[in-house]
């Protein structure tokens, strides 16, 4: 899923469409990641358009239960290309937003980044999720365990008896 840019530039027309249907090791999902990405070489930049989707399994931040989440990403991005010698001179940080003319576009990585950005900030299984309810039994068990250790539980025990 890597596109070597000089190859793309030499195509007539210089456009390549990549179909994706696979599992990404770094993005656990219930279904393969499906999508399509079209990369057009426009001389000084790449025009990248596409779409990807999958079903991920997330852990609810409120109740800690697992739930399925439909994850989608629309890709519409411009990546500027740099002349080979110029890319060599520039700072490393610049290379994130630019690609060298003779570089390689990693489609897998691009799709992964777009999907990751669309992961929810807060994982909530449902708007009505009540979270973890304080379980009454836990309190009772704790009181039994602590009977001999902590006299304060005596008061609680007395209340229950009353
Ligand atoms: Zn929940």
């Amino acid at each position: 899923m890597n596109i070597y840019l000089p190859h793309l530039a030499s195509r007539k027309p210089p456009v390549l469409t990549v179909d994706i249907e696979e599992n990404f090791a770094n993005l656990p999902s219930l279904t393969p990641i499906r999508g399509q990405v079209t990369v057009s070489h426009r001389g000084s930049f790449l025009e990248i358009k596409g779409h990807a989707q999958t079903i991920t399994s997330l852990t609810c931040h409120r109740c800690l239960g697992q739930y399925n989440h439909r994850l989608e990403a629309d890709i519409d991005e411009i990546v500027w290309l740099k002349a080979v010698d110029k890319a060599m001179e520039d700072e490393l940080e610049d290379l994130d937003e630019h690609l060298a003319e003779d570089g390689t576009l990693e489609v897998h990585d691009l799709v992964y980044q777009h999907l990751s950005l669309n992961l929810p900030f807060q994982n909530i299984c449902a708007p009505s999720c009540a979270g973890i309810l304080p379980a009454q039994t836990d309190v009772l068990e704790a009181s039994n365990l602590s009977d001999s250790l902590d006299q304060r539980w005596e008061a609680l025990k007395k209340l229950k008896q009353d």
Side-chain angles (χ1 to χ4, degrees), residues 60 62-63 125 129:
C60 176
R62 279 191 199 157
C63 68
C125 64
C129 175

Side-chain angles (χ1 to χ4, degrees), residues 48-89:
I48 306 166
K49 286 180 187 293
H51 181 83
Q53 66 182 55
T54 189
I55 307 284
T56 52
S57 180
L58 301 177
T59 302
C60 176
H61 288 162
R62 279 191 199 157
C63 68
L64 302 181
Q66 296 274 313
Y67 68 103
N68 295 339
H69 176 77
R70 185 181 172 85
L71 186 61
E72 286 186 273
D74 284 315
I75 299 160
D76 190 355
E77 190 176 334
I78 298 288
V79 174
W80 292 94
L81 300 177
K82 285 190 175 178
V84 176
D85 55 342
K86 196 166 181 307
M88 299 287 282
E89 292 166 12

Side-chain angles (χ1 to χ4, degrees), residues 154-162:
E154 289 300 321
L156 182 65
K157 216 172 162 186
K158 193 163 187 305
L159 270 175
K160 283 189 296 187
Q161 283 162 358
D162 295 346

